[in-house]
Amino acid sequence: MRTLTVDLGDRSYPIYIGADLLSQSNLYRPHIRGKQVCIVTNETIAPLYLEQVKQGLEGYQVDEVVLPDGEQFKNLDTLNLIFDKLLEKRHNRTTTLIALGGGVVGDMTGFAAASYQRGVDFIQIPTTLLSQVDSSVGGKTGVNHALGKNMIGAFHQPRCVLADTGVLSSLPARELAAGIAEVVKYGLIADAPFMDWLEANMDALVAKDGEALAYAVERSCQNKADVVAKDEREGGIRAILNLGHTFGHAIETAMGYGEWLHGEAVATGMVMAADLSQRLGWLNKADVERVEKLLLRAALPVKAPTAVTEEDFLSLMAVDKKVLDGQLRLVLMKAVGEAVVTSDFPVETLKETIAASY
């Protein structure tokens, strides 16, 4: 097992990474401050891991909420199912919520924890590659709105993150690929040597090799922890973690939540960001092809869906959270391994990138 720390002063917390950690309740029990626990999971994960986690919580009042599975349920209506249970079972301000599932479960549980009685503790137990390397770390929580992804939420840091890499062996290939997209992101934004490693080990990742997955999770989490420690609330450098996300969120919203997995949309979005970076003279053609090739090896899409028009892209990107005073800002690349947040690009050049993305 490896332990990393997200260094945020009195809100610092550990990330435990390794195989077979779900059975080691001694790792997360010290982070439960009261006597009440509510486990939030979904219909897919509950039959696999819920009982195992409950067995490690003997001595606590343990309640559970099983949500429907899918991005289309990441909304305020579903969020109320968590509040209903907490109120029905009279959970107080010392309760701890445990998010057992992927990114949707983690984001919703975290937002419920940030909101319930104005803030209670929560623990992340992510069960997908995407949630282990990205959404479980950093304290971003929230739900989607019909007009924009993740537009309602709060920053609320977990007490700890338990990333059991052993559970990744049961991931469907499509879910695994979606997680790999976020792994590739870290190489592109700030870790060029990691890109080299990914190119050498992509086949092992796709084959769910345990050692390769554990290393990818650790390296990704370290990259994210370093950025979050410098900029917890995305006032500056943290925005680089959104490489490809502004394009990707537009795809997810226009297609209808759940049609494209988040990682699939981000993969295409990263290719679009690379294309725009090339048009601005920062990357060369070989760099863009390098990004495409690596994502294709993970069976990820690199072309935008034709159902999402140029107008869709431009209107949905205009309500992105990185828009500042009416100015669209994008995460682009000065080089592979060096990301930048900028609004310094002509709209016509952005339109050229969108037109070339199909």
Side-chain angles (χ1 to χ4, degrees), residues 239-257:
I240 68 170
L241 294 169
N242 291 312
L243 177 70
H245 284 58
T246 304
F247 294 108
H249 287 168
I251 292 171
E252 287 182 88
T253 305
M255 293 296 289
Y257 298 123

Side-chain angles (χ1 to χ4, degrees), residues 79 83 109-120 141 153-154 156:
L79 186 73
F83 295 135
T109 305
F111 188 31
S115 308
Y116 186 67
Q117 298 198 19
R118 298 187 176 88
V120 298
T141 72
H156 191 55

Side-chain angles (χ1 to χ4, degrees), residues 200-211:
N201 291 275
M202 182 55 74
D203 294 346
L205 284 178
V206 171
K208 299 181 186 174
D209 176 81
E211 284 187 25

Side-chain angles (χ1 to χ4, degrees), residues 185 189-190 227 234 236-243 322 331 339-341:
K185 175 192 74 179
I189 62 171
V227 172
E234 206 170 287
I237 189 176
R238 181 169 177 168
I240 68 170
L241 294 169
N242 291 312
L243 177 70
K322 288 184 294 304
V331 185
V340 62
V341 184

Side-chain angles (χ1 to χ4, degrees), residues 145-149 151 253 257 316 319:
H145 187 278
L147 300 179
K149 185 176 165 68
M151 294 302 287
T253 305
Y257 298 123
L316 288 166
V319 296

Side-chain angles (χ1 to χ4, degrees), residues 278-293:
Q278 181 195 354
R279 292 175 191 275
L280 295 174
W282 295 337
L283 298 186
N284 58 43
K285 188 177 180 184
D287 293 326
V288 180
E289 289 175 351
R290 185 183 179 196
V291 176
E292 283 191 10
K293 259 183 217 174

